[in-house]
Amino acid sequence: MSARTTLLSVLAEAASQEQHRMKNAVDQLQQWETTPQFNATLQDIFYDKSVDTNIRWQAIIYLKNGIDKYWRKSAKNAIAAEEKAAIRSRLLTALDEEQKPLATQNAVLISKIARIDFPLEWPDLLNSMLEIVRSSTANESDPRARLVQQRSLYALHLIVKGLISKTLAAGRKQFQQVAPDLFSNVVNIYVRFVDQLFTSNSTNIENLSGYLETSHLALKCLRRVVIHGFPEFSTSEGPVTFFRLALEHLQKFMAFKDSIPEQCAFLVTAVDSHIKLIGKFYLDLMDSHPRQFILTPGAGDVLRFYWELLAGNGNDQHPAPSQTTTIQGLLLIKRILKDPQFNLSEKDPEPVVIQCRHVIENEFMTPETTAKLAEILITKYMRLTEDDLEEWDSNPEGWALEEEADSWKYQVRPCAEKVFMDLLSSRREQLSPLLVQLAGTTAQMSDIFLKDSIYCAIGLGSHDLYGSVDFDSWLNGQLTQDVQNPDPRYRVIRRRIAWMIGNWVNVNISKEGRPAVYTIMLHLLRPEEHLAVRMAAALNLRACIDDWDFEPMTFAPFLERSVHGLRLLMKEVEEADSRMKILNCMSIIVERMEEHIAPYAQQIIELLPPLWQAAASQNLLQSAILVIMTKLVESLKSQSVGLHAMVMPLIRLSVDPSQEAHVYLMEDGFLLWLATLKTAVQVTDEILSLVPAAVALLSEGMDNLKTMLEVLRSYLLLDGARTIQIAGASLFNGISSILGDGLRSEASVAIMQFMDITSIICPLTSTGDLYINSGLLNKVLSIIMAKKETNVVLTQYLCFLARVAVENPGYLANAVNNASQQFHQPGLLGALVDFWMDKFDNVSHPKFRKLHAMGLTSMMRTTDPSILQNLPRMVGIWGDVLNEVNEHGTGDSLVYWRETQDDEDDASEETAEVIRRRELLKRDPVHTTNLAHYVKASLLECERLNGGPEAFRQQWLSKVDPLMLEGLMPLLG
């Protein structure tokens, strides 16, 4: 059996509907995919039209995937050059494929290879494609030629799309070199078929469809060729001509669409595609080359055409545009108003920018046009409609969510609002008085939709109108009256007022006006109010509270009603997005009100279990629940112990890697875990039960390292002895495995800061053997003596050794001597002390300079000559440290309490952990040991160990500079 026949049978199995047959076939194909001639054989099968369609489909899919994996020369198991050449030579021979799905995949295949191989390996690609297009166009009466024409144009479109996606400058330059030839050939085809469409009197559906399909494919190709192939297109004759021609065709297509008879109504979609594509051409051109666009002859005509469409929106001259065309017109205007390339530099304005500004301001955005544009945006495009009200009534929750969605690129009203914001921002001086005047006309206005639109404009323009509108007076007068209007249609205005307050509260509502704001919001949160209004009130209440000028005491009288209103609203909404938004509002209230939330915490907590159950597959909602639980725990502080029964299972679920939701809930679960530990007054078995999980997550890798170190530090502060008893061995084994080559400096520093606090909390009697057995101490010594880390990292490692030395210098000396034998490095202890002293001046913080000095001093209590020979340097260190800080009699100093930035704790919140940490630091030897007394005691011990004062003086002190000793004695008292 030949290889082709075998492959055919396996592809047939892969195309079957039986699962086990498919799986076996896929496994076999994956084994073969690196076999020579595999991809060429797949191509051969695909091009054989006598083969079953499903098998051909499998062949092209596997061939396409193989190209992705193995076509590049740098790929592992790359396809041989000879096989690639054979595949390339046949790619353009199958452009007569009748079945469109297969033809599409073939075109995709060609474009993928073209992107990689053009122009070096496939230099004649574009010429060959153009020749195929030209020859098929010349014989368009032949049905096969028409098919080849359309298939080749589609393939050319994908080739161009692939080539312009190259990001390197060389790739862009190559495309720009071939763009003129591409353009001249494709534009001729486009013009030819559009002209045939408009001049033909035929009612032959097939002919009309053919004209439209071919011209559409050519237009798709032209759009990208012009935009990406002509960086200076405004001075290129061909593209400029096409720029003008596209507008002419756009107008003709819109008129042609209106003339299509009912029996050919399906052609409307094809015509709409042309109208939309020409609009995309102008928009993309404005995005890519805004200055070129404005300076192109005929740009004013394009802008005026879209402006007339927007201003008229349907008249005898221009039929009403579709929603897509309306949005394209609005987006074009938005680009003109907002594009930073049109901003003038005050210091050195570019001549081209001055020229563009002149065109924009004198030919298009004149004061008259500006005023008219503002008027039509407010009165026409920003208005709600009766359809909106019907949707509101039928699905108020969905409608409210849609209003909050960021859909301005796809819907007319939100797009018009964005355009209005940019218009007001760029023409503030002209439009502000007009808007203030409009606002004054709304008091007795009967047109609810117009009134809503004006309120919308004032809300959108809050940052531009803050100096023109006295919002406080308006709020206490007209807006308060509008809120209390019981007319059912006024629900539109009530919702808009809630939204408008949310926009203005961060801009220009005084502290004195805040009670009126809260009163209005709570009035709109009443259960008898319409659901969409209540949702707007909840969302914008959040903005009122999450504000720089928010004062908890001002809001305190409104707190109970807020919680009550939000609870009732939560029970009525059904969508996960709605619940998330309400939970976020509650979270902000809890966070900002802090301990004031305590009387109402139970009401919030009662909502959460049923919400969690309902959100079983909605991870974002579950995350929002974890966030509000975290805020409650932080606000209640020591009172949060009553929440532990609910909190601990949530933490366990969210940090368990075996749970599917872990990846979504992990971050928020960590924050809840930390909040629970930091506010816990005392440790419980339930809290300690999660210690092994923290150690396991620490050992998993860098992603959770910093957070897990913080969690474990909180555990040690809660109960260090029980934490070490439960997971000490696995903890230090995990840390030892993490340390070493490749660890980032920040991670090394974080681990050693954790070990620093561990050393203060846990005595060597409980950790000494664990340091040895886990290999941690040896790992630290090897890293230090390798001398490859930065000074910042090395001093952190030495800081840990200083802690150990201060507690038990004999333990450290024995450990280093044992390591010396294991490392086969005699004299390691002396070399360590010598290197330690070398790095002393790299320590900057007074607290840690004292700690290092104490560690080195403790190591001097020895008879080891390799250490005592460093006594002259040690005397210099004593003098430096004692001169730097005037310690209290107990050895403490205010400067020691100024923590380093990396180890800073938020002392602004008096949590139980802040208190624990403060108490711990009071027991820190750095804070409790008088350094002068410590040095004197160490010197006396050194004398005793080395034969008494006289022998010690003759053998070691005599080597110290007398002047240094003379300077040290007063410091020692």
Side-chain angles (χ1 to χ4, degrees):
M1 186 181 291
S2 67
R4 184 181 188 277
T5 306
T6 305
L7 183 53
L8 264 172
S9 64
V10 176
L11 288 171
E13 292 290 291
S16 74
Q17 300 301 310
E18 297 179 26
Q19 191 66 33
H20 71 280
R21 291 172 61 190
M22 290 173 60
K23 184 179 184 305
N24 292 336
V26 168
D27 292 342
Q28 182 62 69
L29 289 167
Q30 287 176 345
Q31 291 178 23
W32 286 343
E33 62 185 15
T34 57
T35 305
Q37 296 303 312
F38 174 72
N39 292 285
T41 309
L42 285 173
Q43 185 189 33
D44 182 63
I45 292 170
F46 171 66
Y47 287 166
D48 186 349
K49 295 183 181 180
S50 65
V51 174
D52 179 76
T53 299
N54 291 330
I55 296 176
R56 295 180 66 203
W57 177 262
Q58 293 292 327
I60 188 63
I61 293 300
Y62 275 97
L63 176 57
K64 191 176 67 171
N65 293 341
I67 299 306
D68 286 335
K69 288 183 182 179
Y70 306 115
W71 193 268
R72 290 185 183 277
K73 293 178 182 178
S74 57
K76 186 178 179 181
N77 300 315
I79 300 170
E82 297 79 10
E83 186 176 355
K84 290 201 290 186
I87 291 172
R88 271 196 306 267
S89 68
R90 300 183 64 191
L91 281 173
L92 305 185
T93 63
L95 292 172
D96 59 349
E97 175 60 56
E98 293 90 351
Q99 300 185 55
K100 193 166 185 178
L102 295 178
T104 300
Q105 292 302 321
N106 187 50
V108 171
L109 180 68
I110 295 170
S111 68
K112 284 179 177 290
I113 294 175
R115 189 181 186 279
I116 300 171
D117 285 1
F118 180 82
L120 297 180
E121 303 292 333
W122 202 359
D124 62 341
L125 165 65
L126 293 177
N127 287 335
S128 299
M129 286 297 302
L130 290 173
E131 180 56 38
I132 292 170
V133 172
R134 282 194 293 264
S135 61
S136 60
T137 303
N139 300 310
E140 62 184 38
S141 58
D142 178 2
R144 181 184 176 278
R146 285 202 302 271
L147 179 66
V148 170
Q149 178 195 67
Q150 292 182 355
R151 299 291 188 249
S152 57
L153 277 173
Y154 181 69
L156 186 61
H157 154 63
L158 292 186
I159 291 168
V160 168
K161 189 176 180 180
L163 293 180
I164 65 171
S165 67
K166 292 185 176 183
T167 54
L168 296 179
R172 292 199 301 270
K173 187 174 181 181
Q174 287 168 356
F175 184 74
Q176 289 165 10
Q177 288 171 349
V178 300
D181 194 36
L182 262 177
F183 173 80
S184 62
N185 280 277
V186 179
V187 77
N188 288 336
I189 295 168
Y190 167 73
V191 171
R192 175 178 176 175
F193 281 89
V194 171
D195 286 348
Q196 284 181 346
L197 175 72
F198 291 140
T199 58
S200 172
N201 295 319
S202 171
T203 56
N204 186 300
I205 302 300
E206 186 178 347
N207 286 344
L208 293 175
S209 297
Y211 298 152
L212 284 167
E213 185 172 356
T214 304
S215 61
H216 188 255
L217 288 170
L219 183 57
K220 289 173 78 170
C221 189
L222 282 173
R223 178 170 71 93
R224 290 190 167 92
V225 170
V226 172
I227 292 168
H228 299 278
F230 296 88
E232 300 293 329
F233 80 91
S234 66
T235 56
S236 303
E237 183 179 352
V240 169
T241 304
F242 176 72
F243 183 91
R244 289 171 159 169
L245 184 65
L247 175 60
E248 179 186 330
H249 287 175
L250 177 59
Q251 294 167 319
K252 288 183 176 179
F253 277 122
M254 294 188 78
F256 181 75
K257 175 184 170 182
D258 245 22
S259 66
I260 294 175
E262 287 186 11
Q263 64 268 30
C264 304
F266 66 92
L267 293 176
V268 170
T269 303
V271 175
D272 272 336
S273 296
H274 282 73
I275 294 170
K276 179 180 178 181
L277 194 54
I278 293 173
K280 284 182 70 176
F281 165 68
Y282 287 131
L283 274 175
D284 290 349
L285 207 51
M286 177 65 89
D287 278 341
S288 302
H289 311 286
R291 296 174 182 175
Q292 295 282 316
F293 182 101
I294 291 299
L295 297 179
T296 300
D301 296 333
V302 173
L303 295 174
R304 278 188 292 274
F305 171 77
Y306 277 103
W307 163 244
E308 288 168 7
L309 284 181
L310 294 172
N313 199 12
N315 53 38
D316 293 338
Q317 186 177 0
H318 298 297
S322 66
Q323 175 172 292
T324 300
T325 304
T326 301
I327 292 173
Q328 288 175 338
L330 289 169
L331 290 176
L332 265 178
I333 293 173
K334 186 179 187 301
R335 302 285 201 283
I336 291 170
L337 294 170
K338 197 69 175 176
D339 199 300
Q341 291 208 33
F342 298 142
N343 293 342
L344 283 169
S345 168
E346 294 181 3
K347 292 183 179 179
D348 186 22
E350 298 177 68
V352 67
V353 179
I354 295 173
Q355 193 177 354
C356 289
R357 296 297 308 175
H358 177 81
V359 172
I360 291 170
E361 292 173 5
N362 292 281
E363 295 187 21
F364 184 60
M365 289 306 298
T366 62
E368 295 78 15
T369 305
T370 297
K372 182 65 176 174
L373 177 59
E375 179 189 338
I376 67 165
L377 287 173
I378 293 173
T379 60
K380 184 182 295 187
Y381 294 108
M382 289 163 54
R383 281 175 68 106
L384 291 173
T385 64
E386 292 293 344
D387 289 341
D388 287 310
L389 282 194
E390 288 180 14
E391 177 66 22
W392 181 331
D393 289 332
S394 63
N395 182 14
E397 185 179 350
W399 187 87
L401 288 173
E402 184 65 29
E403 286 297 292
E404 296 295 326
D406 188 21
S407 56
W408 62 272
K409 289 185 179 179
Y410 314 105
Q411 294 185 6
V412 171
R413 186 156 50 83
C415 186
E417 291 173 2
K418 287 285 186 182
V419 174
F420 178 81
M421 289 174 67
D422 291 342
L423 180 67
L424 180 57
S425 177
S426 61
R427 304 291 192 277
R428 181 189 307 167
E429 292 183 2
Q430 179 186 349
L431 295 180
S432 291
L434 296 177
L435 284 174
V436 173
Q437 183 181 348
L438 270 178
T441 66
T442 57
Q444 305 300 323
M445 188 174 286
S446 58
D447 187 338
I448 298 296
F449 292 153
L450 180 57
K451 185 170 185 173
D452 173 79
S453 186
I454 293 171
Y455 280 5
C456 177
I458 293 169
L460 293 170
S462 57
H463 290 278
D464 297 296
L465 298 173
Y466 66 90
S468 306
V469 175
D470 182 358
F471 199 82
D472 277 358
S473 299
W474 203 32
L475 180 74
N476 290 309
Q478 182 179 328
L479 297 186
T480 300
Q481 294 173 17
D482 285 346
V483 163
Q484 295 169 351
N485 190 322
D487 185 340
R489 289 177 62 83
Y490 250 70
R491 67 186 188 275
V492 172
I493 302 301
R494 294 196 294 274
R495 178 200 159 274
R496 180 62 71 188
I497 289 172
W499 172 87
M500 188 162 52
I501 289 173
N503 281 31
W504 273 87
V505 70
N506 295 315
V507 178
N508 193 23
I509 297 181
S510 65
K511 291 183 179 180
E512 295 75 18
R514 297 303 169 109
V517 166
Y518 303 143
T519 300
I520 288 175
M521 289 302 195
L522 295 183
H523 179 80
L524 298 177
L525 259 180
R526 292 170 305 140
E528 56 268 29
E529 183 56 88
H530 198 279
L531 182 61
V533 177
R534 293 164 68 196
M535 287 182 64
L539 297 179
N540 291 285
L541 178 61
R542 182 186 190 280
C544 297
I545 295 167
D546 191 18
D547 176 46
W548 184 261
D549 291 328
F550 177 78
E551 293 180 349
M553 295 312 298
T554 305
F555 187 70
F558 305 93
L559 180 55
E560 181 178 7
R561 290 164 58 201
S562 297
V563 173
H564 179 69
L566 291 170
R567 283 182 74 246
L568 293 177
L569 180 58
M570 179 70 81
K571 291 178 179 179
E572 290 188 41
V573 297
E574 298 175 354
E575 298 288 341
D577 284 350
S578 303
R579 291 171 174 170
M580 275 181 53
K581 291 177 185 298
I582 297 167
L583 275 178
N584 290 338
C585 180
M586 286 184 167
S587 294
I588 290 295
I589 291 175
V590 171
E591 180 182 0
R592 301 306 296 269
M593 294 306 292
E594 297 180 327
E595 67 274 7
H596 299 293
I597 200 66
Y600 315 106
Q602 190 58 36
Q603 296 179 43
I604 298 173
I605 292 164
E606 288 171 359
L607 284 172
L608 303 182
L611 268 182
W612 184 270
Q613 293 298 324
S617 60
Q618 297 163 347
N619 302 122
L620 291 176
L621 181 54
Q622 288 182 328
S623 291
I625 294 171
L626 291 176
V627 169
I628 195 169
M629 287 299 299
T630 304
K631 302 298 184 188
L632 281 167
V633 169
E634 289 172 343
S635 295
L636 295 175
K637 297 184 172 67
S638 59
Q639 299 177 56
S640 66
V641 66
L643 301 180
H644 286 187
M646 184 187 300
V647 164
M648 299 311 294
L650 294 180
I651 296 173
R652 185 172 283 106
L653 171 73
S654 59
V655 303
D656 182 358
S658 66
Q659 297 290 332
E660 287 185 16
H662 164 72
V663 68
Y664 305 104
L665 305 181
M666 179 177 59
E667 298 283 343
D668 294 311
F670 287 161
L671 294 176
L672 179 56
W673 198 354
L674 275 170
T676 303
L677 294 173
K678 289 180 177 182
T679 55
V681 178
Q682 60 185 18
V683 72
T684 64
D685 290 342
E686 193 173 22
I687 289 176
L688 285 172
S689 68
L690 284 173
V691 170
V695 174
L697 286 165
L698 175 72
S699 304
E700 277 189 0
M702 295 300 102
D703 292 344
N704 309 319
L705 178 67
K706 187 174 181 182
T707 306
M708 284 305 101
L709 289 173
E710 196 174 350
V711 166
L712 287 164
R713 184 184 72 178
S714 294
Y715 270 114
L716 290 172
L717 287 165
L718 259 175
D719 193 330
R722 292 180 69 186
T723 301
I724 294 299
Q725 181 183 354
I726 291 169
S730 55
L731 170 61
F732 296 130
N733 281 329
I735 290 176
S736 178
S737 67
I738 292 171
L739 294 177
D741 293 339
L743 188 64
R744 292 180 310 177
S745 298
E746 297 86 347
S748 298
V749 169
I751 291 172
M752 286 299 106
Q753 287 175 342
F754 171 77
M755 292 307 303
D756 181 71
I757 205 163
T758 303
S759 303
I760 304 173
I761 297 169
C762 305
L764 282 172
T765 53
S766 65
T767 58
D769 290 343
L770 297 174
Y771 291 163
I772 300 295
N773 295 337
S774 66
L776 174 61
L777 198 55
N778 279 2
K779 182 68 75 74
V780 170
L781 288 170
S782 66
I783 292 171
I784 291 171
M785 298 314 296
K787 304 176 184 178
K788 294 179 180 178
E789 298 287 354
T790 64
N791 289 330
V792 172
V793 174
L794 287 169
T795 54
Q796 285 292 337
Y797 280 109
L798 289 166
C799 184
F800 169 57
L801 295 188
R803 288 287 182 195
V804 175
V806 168
E807 185 176 350
N808 190 337
Y811 167 88
L812 180 60
N814 288 335
V816 175
N817 286 328
N818 289 335
S820 178
Q821 297 175 13
Q822 293 176 29
F823 298 165
H824 304 293
Q825 274 186 261
L828 181 61
L829 182 59
L832 171 67
V833 172
D834 185 61
F835 181 69
W836 193 346
M837 288 186 176
D838 286 344
K839 295 300 171 186
F840 182 81
D841 283 337
N842 294 113
V843 183
S844 58
H845 196 288
K847 172 180 176 176
F848 296 111
R849 284 176 68 80
K850 178 179 177 180
L851 174 60
H852 282 272
M854 289 175 65
L856 286 166
T857 301
S858 69
M859 296 303 293
M860 288 290 161
R861 300 173 184 176
T862 182
T863 59
D864 188 336
S866 65
I867 296 178
L868 289 173
Q869 69 182 3
N870 288 294
L871 186 61
R873 298 169 71 189
M874 193 70 243
V875 171
I877 289 173
W878 289 333
D880 287 347
V881 178
L882 289 169
N883 266 313
E884 286 170 1
V885 179
N886 292 320
E887 294 184 334
H888 305 154
T890 60
D892 205 359
S893 173
L894 282 175
V895 74
Y896 298 152
W897 290 87
R898 180 179 62 80
E899 293 292 320
T900 59
Q901 185 176 359
D902 290 336
D903 200 30
E904 195 173 82
D905 204 280
D906 187 4
S908 62
E909 295 186 17
E910 194 73 358
T911 61
E913 179 162 309
V914 170
I915 296 169
R916 285 193 289 271
R917 181 154 187 177
R918 194 180 298 129
E919 292 301 315
L920 174 69
L921 292 177
K922 289 178 182 177
R923 306 198 307 271
D924 184 348
V926 175
H927 293 277
T928 60
T929 304
N930 184 291
L931 184 59
H933 296 168
Y934 190 77
V935 171
K936 281 195 292 184
S938 296
L939 281 172
L940 290 172
E941 178 66 10
C942 218
E943 288 177 352
R944 186 187 68 78
L945 293 172
N946 288 276
E950 185 59 28
F952 180 71
R953 185 185 64 77
Q954 288 184 4
Q955 186 174 3
W956 299 112
L957 275 183
S958 61
K959 298 178 180 179
V960 181
D961 187 334
L963 289 175
M964 292 180 67
L965 280 175
E966 186 180 338
L968 179 65
M969 291 309 162
L971 296 173
L972 296 178

